[in-house]
Amino acid sequence: LTCTHASNMEHFPLLVLVTTLLLFAASAPASCSSGWSDGDDSVDRPNGDLPGMPITLGDKDLPSSCAKLCAERGAPNCVAWAYVKPNCSGSGPSPLCYLKQTVTSQVLNQCRVSGLMNINLLPPKFRPLPVGSVQPTGWLGAQLRLQADGLSGHLPLFWGDVMDSVWVGGSADVGLHERTPYWLNGFVPLAYQLGDPKLISKVQEYVSYILEHQAQDGWLGPEDISDGNAYWSKYPLLMSLRQYYEANSSDTRVLPAMLKFLKAAQTKLFTVPLGNSWDLIGRSGLQTRVFQRIL
């Protein structure tokens, strides 16, 4: 996928998802590596094959076997791969593997699974300190305590859009469903930076409900918006979940849930492009917003 000119902006959402997935793959721990090598289900990357394709796999081989073959070829020979499901719309009884020497545009294909190799990603020079690893004192500690004792710490007790949010089984926070995710994005670090057991308990209540009610296809939260505005509130939520995981790295539900959602969003973008909520301040604003989500 490319995004080299303003006229190609229709490719931008998918480019963002691919970039996000690659960054996720590079930074995620080993517990998520199997999910990454499984590739993107029902997504094909036609053309750009290495000579001698396809490779016939064993009857029990999974997409990860195709990804492994690509990794064994190494850069610059193999940069992507596509797995053909057996007995699917005329395919044979054995799965096939196509190794790619170029990264091509993606298309939907129910009989394919495909993926990219993160061969061009360099390890980060610096890593941020995890949420909760530094306890604020003095003036900053006092300001955070004011937030906790004021609106930030009490919104789930009186404001319907958080207290009775659709994110936790209620009926409020309608429209883009963005109020609870934005609140969580500030409330999660506030709770753990202060080490406040009461606030942490409330964080865990919201996060657990959201994770436990993830849709089978990976979607997080309500899915009652039929247009491209449905994506808007999910990315403040992902930032909240990332901060929660930094403070609770033993919670093995978080990273797989995030990766599963990103794959679901990637598939959805093929048929439901981003809506006007992403374009409120022009194309340059859209790019800024999206790269905030990547970070």
Side-chain angles (χ1 to χ4, degrees), residues 234-267:
K234 308 306 185 289
Y235 290 92
L237 176 75
L238 291 183
M239 290 190 286
S240 305
L241 291 178
R242 172 171 177 162
Q243 294 182 93
Y244 169 78
Y245 180 76
E246 288 179 6
N248 296 274
S249 58
S250 61
D251 191 335
T252 58
R253 303 172 299 170
V254 181
L255 292 182
M258 293 173 68
L259 178 57
K260 193 174 180 182
F261 167 77
L262 287 171
K263 290 187 174 185
Q266 181 187 22
T267 300

Short mmCIF file of all heavy atoms in Angstrom, two decimals, residues 234-267:
data_model
loop_
_atom_site.label_atom_id
_atom_site.label_comp_id
_atom_site.label_asym_id
_atom_site.label_seq_id
_atom_site.Cartn_x
_atom_site.Cartn_y
_atom_site.Cartn_z
N LYS A 234 -12.71 3.96 19.17
CA LYS A 234 -11.95 2.75 19.50
C LYS A 234 -10.49 3.04 19.79
O LYS A 234 -9.84 2.30 20.54
CB LYS A 234 -12.07 1.72 18.37
CG LYS A 234 -13.51 1.40 17.95
CD LYS A 234 -14.37 0.98 19.13
CE LYS A 234 -15.76 0.54 18.71
NZ LYS A 234 -16.62 1.63 18.25
N TYR A 235 -9.98 4.11 19.19
CA TYR A 235 -8.55 4.37 19.36
C TYR A 235 -8.20 5.05 20.69
O TYR A 235 -7.17 4.71 21.29
CB TYR A 235 -8.01 5.11 18.14
CG TYR A 235 -8.02 4.16 16.97
CD1 TYR A 235 -9.11 4.08 16.11
CD2 TYR A 235 -6.99 3.26 16.79
CE1 TYR A 235 -9.14 3.15 15.08
CE2 TYR A 235 -7.01 2.32 15.76
CZ TYR A 235 -8.10 2.27 14.91
OH TYR A 235 -8.14 1.34 13.91
N PRO A 236 -9.02 5.97 21.21
CA PRO A 236 -8.80 6.37 22.61
C PRO A 236 -8.88 5.18 23.56
O PRO A 236 -8.16 5.10 24.55
CB PRO A 236 -9.92 7.38 22.88
CG PRO A 236 -10.27 7.92 21.56
CD PRO A 236 -10.08 6.79 20.58
N LEU A 237 -9.76 4.22 23.23
CA LEU A 237 -9.84 3.02 24.06
C LEU A 237 -8.54 2.23 23.99
O LEU A 237 -8.04 1.75 25.02
CB LEU A 237 -11.01 2.15 23.62
CG LEU A 237 -11.08 0.82 24.39
CD1 LEU A 237 -11.60 1.06 25.80
CD2 LEU A 237 -11.91 -0.21 23.67
N LEU A 238 -7.98 2.07 22.79
CA LEU A 238 -6.73 1.32 22.67
C LEU A 238 -5.61 1.98 23.46
O LEU A 238 -4.78 1.30 24.07
CB LEU A 238 -6.32 1.19 21.20
CG LEU A 238 -7.18 0.30 20.32
CD1 LEU A 238 -6.60 0.22 18.91
CD2 LEU A 238 -7.34 -1.11 20.90
N MET A 239 -5.58 3.32 23.46
CA MET A 239 -4.57 4.00 24.26
C MET A 239 -4.79 3.73 25.75
O MET A 239 -3.83 3.57 26.52
CB MET A 239 -4.58 5.49 23.96
CG MET A 239 -4.07 5.83 22.56
SD MET A 239 -3.79 7.59 22.27
CE MET A 239 -5.49 8.18 22.13
N SER A 240 -6.05 3.67 26.15
CA SER A 240 -6.36 3.34 27.54
C SER A 240 -5.89 1.94 27.89
O SER A 240 -5.30 1.70 28.95
CB SER A 240 -7.87 3.45 27.79
OG SER A 240 -8.37 4.70 27.42
N LEU A 241 -6.17 0.99 26.99
CA LEU A 241 -5.78 -0.40 27.23
C LEU A 241 -4.28 -0.55 27.28
O LEU A 241 -3.75 -1.33 28.08
CB LEU A 241 -6.37 -1.31 26.15
CG LEU A 241 -7.89 -1.48 26.17
CD1 LEU A 241 -8.34 -2.36 25.01
CD2 LEU A 241 -8.36 -2.07 27.50
N ARG A 242 -3.57 0.18 26.41
CA ARG A 242 -2.11 0.09 26.44
C ARG A 242 -1.57 0.57 27.79
O ARG A 242 -0.68 -0.05 28.37
CB ARG A 242 -1.50 0.91 25.30
CG ARG A 242 0.01 1.00 25.41
CD ARG A 242 0.68 1.60 24.22
NE ARG A 242 2.12 1.70 24.47
CZ ARG A 242 3.02 1.87 23.52
NH1 ARG A 242 2.64 1.96 22.26
NH2 ARG A 242 4.31 1.95 23.80
N GLN A 243 -2.10 1.70 28.28
CA GLN A 243 -1.64 2.20 29.57
C GLN A 243 -2.01 1.24 30.69
O GLN A 243 -1.22 1.03 31.62
CB GLN A 243 -2.24 3.58 29.82
CG GLN A 243 -1.73 4.64 28.86
CD GLN A 243 -2.31 6.00 29.15
OE1 GLN A 243 -1.72 6.80 29.88
NE2 GLN A 243 -3.48 6.28 28.59
N TYR A 244 -3.19 0.67 30.60
CA TYR A 244 -3.59 -0.31 31.60
C TYR A 244 -2.63 -1.50 31.60
O TYR A 244 -2.22 -1.98 32.67
CB TYR A 244 -5.01 -0.79 31.31
CG TYR A 244 -5.44 -1.99 32.13
CD1 TYR A 244 -5.84 -1.86 33.45
CD2 TYR A 244 -5.41 -3.28 31.58
CE1 TYR A 244 -6.21 -2.96 34.21
CE2 TYR A 244 -5.79 -4.38 32.32
CZ TYR A 244 -6.19 -4.22 33.64
OH TYR A 244 -6.55 -5.32 34.38
N TYR A 245 -2.24 -1.96 30.40
CA TYR A 245 -1.33 -3.10 30.32
C TYR A 245 0.05 -2.76 30.87
O TYR A 245 0.70 -3.59 31.50
CB TYR A 245 -1.21 -3.58 28.87
CG TYR A 245 -0.29 -4.76 28.74
CD1 TYR A 245 -0.70 -6.03 29.12
CD2 TYR A 245 1.00 -4.60 28.26
CE1 TYR A 245 0.15 -7.12 29.02
CE2 TYR A 245 1.87 -5.68 28.15
CZ TYR A 245 1.44 -6.93 28.53
OH TYR A 245 2.29 -8.00 28.44
N GLU A 246 0.51 -1.54 30.64
CA GLU A 246 1.80 -1.13 31.19
C GLU A 246 1.81 -1.27 32.71
O GLU A 246 2.83 -1.62 33.30
CB GLU A 246 2.11 0.32 30.80
CG GLU A 246 2.45 0.49 29.33
CD GLU A 246 2.72 1.95 28.98
OE1 GLU A 246 2.74 2.79 29.91
OE2 GLU A 246 2.92 2.24 27.79
N ALA A 247 0.69 -0.98 33.33
CA ALA A 247 0.59 -1.08 34.79
C ALA A 247 0.20 -2.48 35.25
O ALA A 247 0.33 -2.80 36.44
CB ALA A 247 -0.43 -0.07 35.31
N ASN A 248 -0.29 -3.33 34.31
CA ASN A 248 -0.76 -4.68 34.65
C ASN A 248 -0.29 -5.67 33.59
O ASN A 248 -1.10 -6.30 32.91
CB ASN A 248 -2.30 -4.72 34.72
CG ASN A 248 -2.86 -3.86 35.82
OD1 ASN A 248 -2.98 -4.28 36.95
ND2 ASN A 248 -3.19 -2.62 35.48
N SER A 249 1.00 -5.81 33.42
CA SER A 249 1.54 -6.65 32.36
C SER A 249 1.22 -8.13 32.55
O SER A 249 1.39 -8.93 31.63
CB SER A 249 3.05 -6.46 32.23
OG SER A 249 3.70 -6.77 33.45
N SER A 250 0.74 -8.50 33.73
CA SER A 250 0.36 -9.90 33.96
C SER A 250 -1.03 -10.21 33.41
O SER A 250 -1.42 -11.39 33.37
CB SER A 250 0.41 -10.21 35.46
OG SER A 250 -0.52 -9.40 36.18
N ASP A 251 -1.78 -9.19 32.99
CA ASP A 251 -3.11 -9.41 32.44
C ASP A 251 -2.96 -9.83 30.99
O ASP A 251 -2.82 -9.00 30.08
CB ASP A 251 -3.96 -8.14 32.56
CG ASP A 251 -5.43 -8.41 32.25
OD1 ASP A 251 -5.72 -9.37 31.52
OD2 ASP A 251 -6.30 -7.64 32.75
N THR A 252 -3.00 -11.12 30.74
CA THR A 252 -2.73 -11.67 29.41
C THR A 252 -3.88 -11.47 28.43
O THR A 252 -3.76 -11.85 27.26
CB THR A 252 -2.42 -13.17 29.52
OG1 THR A 252 -3.53 -13.84 30.15
CG2 THR A 252 -1.16 -13.40 30.35
N ARG A 253 -4.97 -10.86 28.87
CA ARG A 253 -6.09 -10.63 27.96
C ARG A 253 -5.87 -9.43 27.05
O ARG A 253 -6.43 -9.36 25.94
CB ARG A 253 -7.38 -10.37 28.76
CG ARG A 253 -7.77 -11.46 29.73
CD ARG A 253 -8.94 -10.99 30.60
NE ARG A 253 -8.59 -9.81 31.39
CZ ARG A 253 -9.47 -9.09 32.08
NH1 ARG A 253 -10.75 -9.41 32.06
NH2 ARG A 253 -9.07 -8.04 32.78
N VAL A 254 -5.05 -8.49 27.48
CA VAL A 254 -5.04 -7.17 26.86
C VAL A 254 -4.45 -7.16 25.45
O VAL A 254 -5.10 -6.74 24.48
CB VAL A 254 -4.30 -6.16 27.76
CG1 VAL A 254 -4.31 -4.77 27.12
CG2 VAL A 254 -4.94 -6.11 29.14
N LEU A 255 -3.19 -7.58 25.30
CA LEU A 255 -2.54 -7.49 24.00
C LEU A 255 -3.23 -8.34 22.93
O LEU A 255 -3.42 -7.87 21.80
CB LEU A 255 -1.07 -7.86 24.12
CG LEU A 255 -0.20 -6.86 24.90
CD1 LEU A 255 1.25 -7.31 24.92
CD2 LEU A 255 -0.30 -5.45 24.33
N PRO A 256 -3.63 -9.58 23.22
CA PRO A 256 -4.38 -10.33 22.20
C PRO A 256 -5.67 -9.63 21.80
O PRO A 256 -6.05 -9.64 20.62
CB PRO A 256 -4.65 -11.67 22.88
CG PRO A 256 -3.55 -11.83 23.87
CD PRO A 256 -3.31 -10.44 24.39
N ALA A 257 -6.36 -9.01 22.75
CA ALA A 257 -7.61 -8.31 22.43
C ALA A 257 -7.35 -7.10 21.53
O ALA A 257 -8.10 -6.84 20.58
CB ALA A 257 -8.30 -7.86 23.72
N MET A 258 -6.26 -6.38 21.79
CA MET A 258 -5.92 -5.23 20.96
C MET A 258 -5.57 -5.66 19.55
O MET A 258 -6.02 -5.06 18.56
CB MET A 258 -4.76 -4.46 21.60
CG MET A 258 -5.11 -3.78 22.91
SD MET A 258 -3.66 -3.04 23.72
CE MET A 258 -3.28 -1.70 22.59
N LEU A 259 -4.76 -6.70 19.43
CA LEU A 259 -4.37 -7.18 18.10
C LEU A 259 -5.59 -7.70 17.34
O LEU A 259 -5.75 -7.44 16.14
CB LEU A 259 -3.33 -8.29 18.24
CG LEU A 259 -2.86 -8.95 16.94
CD1 LEU A 259 -2.29 -7.92 15.97
CD2 LEU A 259 -1.82 -10.03 17.22
N LYS A 260 -6.45 -8.41 18.03
CA LYS A 260 -7.65 -8.94 17.39
C LYS A 260 -8.54 -7.80 16.88
O LYS A 260 -9.12 -7.89 15.79
CB LYS A 260 -8.42 -9.82 18.38
CG LYS A 260 -9.51 -10.68 17.75
CD LYS A 260 -10.12 -11.62 18.78
CE LYS A 260 -11.22 -12.49 18.14
NZ LYS A 260 -11.85 -13.39 19.15
N PHE A 261 -8.64 -6.72 17.66
CA PHE A 261 -9.44 -5.59 17.20
C PHE A 261 -8.82 -4.93 15.97
O PHE A 261 -9.51 -4.58 15.02
CB PHE A 261 -9.60 -4.53 18.28
CG PHE A 261 -10.14 -3.24 17.72
CD1 PHE A 261 -11.49 -3.12 17.42
CD2 PHE A 261 -9.29 -2.17 17.44
CE1 PHE A 261 -11.98 -1.96 16.84
CE2 PHE A 261 -9.78 -1.02 16.86
CZ PHE A 261 -11.13 -0.91 16.57
N LEU A 262 -7.49 -4.74 15.99
CA LEU A 262 -6.83 -4.09 14.85
C LEU A 262 -7.05 -4.89 13.57
O LEU A 262 -7.27 -4.32 12.49
CB LEU A 262 -5.34 -3.94 15.14
CG LEU A 262 -4.97 -2.87 16.17
CD1 LEU A 262 -3.50 -2.97 16.53
CD2 LEU A 262 -5.31 -1.48 15.64
N LYS A 263 -7.04 -6.19 13.67
CA LYS A 263 -7.29 -7.01 12.49
C LYS A 263 -8.74 -6.88 12.04
O LYS A 263 -9.03 -6.83 10.84
CB LYS A 263 -6.94 -8.47 12.78
CG LYS A 263 -5.44 -8.71 12.93
CD LYS A 263 -5.14 -10.20 13.04
CE LYS A 263 -3.63 -10.44 13.05
NZ LYS A 263 -3.30 -11.88 13.04
N ALA A 264 -9.67 -6.81 13.00
CA ALA A 264 -11.07 -6.64 12.65
C ALA A 264 -11.30 -5.29 11.96
O ALA A 264 -12.04 -5.18 10.98
CB ALA A 264 -11.95 -6.75 13.89
N ALA A 265 -10.64 -4.24 12.48
CA ALA A 265 -10.78 -2.92 11.88
C ALA A 265 -10.18 -2.88 10.48
O ALA A 265 -10.73 -2.26 9.57
CB ALA A 265 -10.12 -1.87 12.77
N GLN A 266 -9.05 -3.56 10.31
CA GLN A 266 -8.42 -3.61 9.00
C GLN A 266 -9.36 -4.24 7.97
O GLN A 266 -9.53 -3.73 6.86
CB GLN A 266 -7.11 -4.40 9.07
CG GLN A 266 -6.38 -4.48 7.73
CD GLN A 266 -5.19 -5.41 7.78
OE1 GLN A 266 -5.12 -6.28 8.64
NE2 GLN A 266 -4.25 -5.23 6.87
N THR A 267 -9.98 -5.35 8.34
CA THR A 267 -10.91 -6.01 7.43
C THR A 267 -12.12 -5.12 7.15
O THR A 267 -12.58 -5.01 6.00
CB THR A 267 -11.38 -7.35 8.03
OG1 THR A 267 -10.24 -8.19 8.24
CG2 THR A 267 -12.34 -8.05 7.09
#
